[in-house]
Amino acid sequence: MKLFTPCLRALLFLLLLLGAGRVGAQPAWQWATVLGGPSPAAAAAMASDDAGNVVVCGRFINTITLGTFTLTTGNVNGVYVARYNSAGVCTQAVKIDGAGLVLVVYDIALSPAGNVALAGSFTGSSLQIGSFGLSNSGGGGEDGFVAVLNSAGAWTQAEVVGARTYRDFVKKVAFDGSGNLVVGGEFGGPSLTLGSTTVLNAGTPSSTGQNGDVFVARLSSAGIWTQLVQAGGAYNDGLGGMAVDATGAVHVAGTFNYTMRFGLLAVGTSNLYNIFVATFGPTGNWTRAVSTGGAGIETVGGLALGPAGSLLVSGAYYSNGLVLGSVTLAHDGGSTADGYVAALDATGTWTWAARATGNATETLARMQVNTAGYVTVLGTFNGTSATLGTTTLSGNAPPTGGTNSFVAQLTPAGTWLSAYVVPDAGFARLAGVAADSRGQATLFGDFEPSSIRFGPYTLVSPLTPSNYSPISFVARFSGLVTAARAAAPAEVFTLAPNPTGHGPATAQVRLSWPEATTAPRPVLVLDNLGREVRRQELPARATSAALDVAGLAPGLYLVRCGAATGKLVVE
């Protein structure tokens, strides 16, 4: 029979109407899973491929459980790196043992070959990453590091950045088209040396990291530093985002005070903490630098490549409007922040900007742009509501100091399409988003209450709430716009046999869909309370599969694949 009966069609149409008119309506959640336990685990960053596989990283204390993997650090502080497939199953998990150090991870990148690059910082005299021992000759200072994990789960490369008493950070990491690592960060000392190149700080440095400069470097797969450039001024400059395009050019965005130089280029302002966007060409020279002109404090939360050589920048601005060339965003007034996403074209001209506003502070952070130019962005608000275009989000009434998280989508022209509070019950901090070409988005973050809910999926923390008890999660939903349509036709499916003259389903039913996909997709079986009772992965490049229902108690079940949902009777 066809998937949707007339009654079910009418019910789903009514639910869609109700959801469309509801403030902060929720997306179609496909799955959600907890990362962590029995000890705290905080989320840091996520990377993905278009097949729906993701790599996540964060910090944990003592012991962490990731699917069937258990990692234990020799002391209290460690970093976890884990891979999850498109069905939400953990396929690999490794660690870096902090051994009592202050160990922080900031960013992660995934290469087409499946290699994972990790960027962070540590304090102490040494750090062991697999067979690589990193030494901090200065001792006591905070130094950056970058490391590479291959697809088999072995650490193949690790390098220290800094090794002095001053504070140095590796904030961003990416792969270029030749498989080299591009590393971006900040250095707080009078100079920074990587390989045979030394760059000087334009300001007066201090051991606390004040008056730091920005750096960008390139590291070959053989462990040779091949490029290093500096950018900065007399005061503190910070890196907030980095992206590498197909030509190997490196684009960076961040904040500066008064004046900042990029080789022979410079940007200037009469204010504190304005935004810069600059490009470092593959030949080793800064080729472009632009800045904003607002009168208030501005921040950068993310940078992403857009279509036709454009760049997307996200963040927040305080107190006054945000001036982007001929494009200006107003501000609500007062001391709180509004969030923004702005587009810069290939010529260095600001073309559009969109804002998130409300009755308190709103921020926009990490982004992902699909091939059609649609932007998926993470954000937060700590008031009772936030407005993005025509969509108003209602908060989950967080406690004092609490913040609501949301995920939103914009068109290539900068118009808000949709926005959802995430999760729909409880409070979470979002650390990463990955949107694929099929309209699905994977979210990575952590939460500290006893439980959170993503539609029909309730995640329960294994921890006893305390002053610091986060637990990480990964969750996926569908329904994002990829181009002209919001849902792939492969998400329409049929079930047979199903009770309409063929008898009830027993051990197996045949699930069929009209269009093959290039990657596996998860299918979920839910009971009448919306609880997951069975999960199965549908194969790539196929149009049918056997759905195993053996062992299920007799009754009515829902079968969900992507945005499509059908009912199944088991007798």
Side-chain angles (χ1 to χ4, degrees):
M1 68 171 263
K2 290 189 179 293
L3 173 63
F4 299 109
T5 65
C7 290
L8 186 55
R9 284 195 191 97
L11 176 60
L12 288 177
F13 183 70
L14 177 60
L15 290 174
L16 285 173
L17 288 179
L18 292 173
R22 195 172 67 233
V23 174
Q26 287 299 303
W29 293 101
Q30 296 182 13
W31 51 261
T33 186
V34 166
L35 287 66
S39 303
M46 175 176 69
S48 69
D49 61 23
D50 197 55
N53 304 301
V54 298
V55 183
V56 298
C57 66
R59 292 193 296 167
F60 72 102
I61 297 174
N62 296 325
T63 302
I64 184 173
T65 299
L66 303 155
T68 59
F69 300 89
T70 298
L71 306 177
T72 301
T73 182
N75 213 298
V76 296
N77 188 26
V79 164
Y80 68 87
V81 182
R83 299 179 193 255
Y84 283 78
N85 65 17
S86 60
V89 177
C90 184
T91 60
Q92 186 185 88
V94 300
K95 67 172 181 176
I96 300 175
D97 195 328
L101 304 175
V102 177
L103 179 61
V104 180
V105 59
Y106 293 108
D107 197 20
I108 194 169
L110 179 63
S111 78
N115 296 321
V116 177
L118 201 68
S121 66
F122 70 100
T123 61
S125 60
S126 65
L127 174 65
Q128 192 73 28
I129 302 178
S131 61
F132 299 91
L134 306 184
S135 297
N136 178 352
S137 59
E142 188 168 1
D143 289 302
F145 73 89
V146 61
V148 177
L149 184 76
N150 67 15
S151 58
W155 295 104
T156 60
Q157 197 171 4
E159 299 286 343
V160 66
V161 175
R164 299 160 311 153
T165 57
Y166 294 92
R167 300 180 68 188
D168 305 301
F169 308 91
V170 178
K171 290 288 189 69
K172 301 295 177 181
V173 65
F175 289 96
D176 66 15
S178 301
N180 302 305
L181 282 183
V182 178
V183 178
E186 303 160 9
F187 68 101
S191 64
L192 175 66
T193 299
L194 295 176
S196 59
T197 305
T198 297
V199 293
L200 302 179
N201 193 321
T204 302
S206 70
S207 60
T208 61
Q210 295 298 312
N211 300 333
D213 279 359
V214 170
F215 75 88
V216 178
R218 207 177 301 256
L219 179 68
S220 74
S221 58
I224 298 173
W225 294 101
T226 60
Q227 286 179 331
L228 172 63
V229 293
Q230 165 270 356
Y235 300 96
N236 204 46
D237 309 301
L239 180 65
M242 185 181 80
V244 182
D245 66 25
T247 70
V250 183
H251 309 277
V252 293
T255 57
F256 73 103
N257 298 273
Y258 301 117
T259 303
M260 186 173 184
R261 298 198 65 86
F262 302 81
L264 299 177
L265 306 176
V267 294
T269 177
S270 60
N271 303 300
L272 296 172
Y273 297 107
N274 277 171
I275 297 165
F276 71 83
V277 181
T279 299
F280 170 61
T283 59
N285 298 312
W286 291 103
T287 60
R288 179 176 66 177
V290 299
S291 65
T292 57
I297 294 174
E298 303 157 2
T299 67
V300 171
L303 177 70
L305 300 175
S310 63
L311 296 173
L312 284 302
V313 187
S314 64
Y317 60 103
Y318 293 77
S319 303
N320 293 283
L322 180 64
V323 179
L324 304 151
S326 61
V327 180
T328 299
L329 290 181
H331 190 274
D332 290 336
S335 60
T336 60
D338 285 352
Y340 73 89
V341 177
L344 187 74
D345 69 14
T347 69
T349 301
W350 296 101
T351 57
W352 59 258
R355 71 168 177 157
T357 184
N359 56 11
T361 290
E362 301 79 39
T363 65
L364 294 168
R366 295 179 184 265
M367 297 176 291
Q368 188 159 350
V369 184
N370 68 19
T371 55
Y374 289 83
V375 183
T376 304
V377 60
L378 302 181
T380 63
F381 65 99
N382 61 8
T384 57
S385 66
T387 300
L388 295 85
T390 60
T391 300
T392 298
L393 302 177
S394 292
N396 285 327
T400 302
T403 299
N404 286 285
S405 296
F406 64 87
V407 59
Q409 190 177 28
L410 298 110
T411 68
T415 301
W416 292 108
L417 271 176
S418 60
Y420 312 104
V421 176
V422 179
D424 59 0
F427 310 103
R429 185 185 65 88
L430 300 179
V433 61
D436 62 32
S437 61
R438 295 178 300 280
Q440 302 175 134
T442 306
L443 300 177
F444 175 52
D446 54 45
F447 67 101
E448 290 196 54
S450 58
S451 67
I452 57 173
R453 188 184 71 220
F454 300 89
Y457 308 104
T458 297
L459 303 183
V460 178
S461 174
L463 307 178
T464 300
S466 65
N467 290 334
Y468 182 72
S469 57
I471 205 77
S472 301
F473 68 85
V474 179
R476 176 168 294 173
F477 70 88
S478 61
L480 291 178
V481 174
T482 58
R485 61 188 180 187
E491 292 181 341
V492 177
F493 61 86
T494 59
L495 295 167
N498 212 0
T500 49
H502 297 286
T506 53
Q508 284 187 345
V509 296
R510 176 61 54 178
L511 190 151
S512 303
W513 54 98
E515 183 178 305
T517 57
T518 58
R521 294 177 298 130
V523 60
L524 309 178
V525 180
L526 312 176
D527 64 14
N528 59 4
L529 296 178
R531 298 173 299 190
E532 179 184 333
V533 296
R534 188 67 51 88
R535 180 192 296 259
Q536 188 171 323
E537 187 171 274
L538 303 183
R541 299 178 177 84
T543 57
S544 66
L547 180 62
D548 182 17
V549 295
L552 294 180
L556 177 65
Y557 293 85
L558 292 179
V559 178
R560 175 174 293 167
C561 180
T565 303
K567 63 180 180 179
L568 175 69
V569 175
V570 175
E571 292 184 352

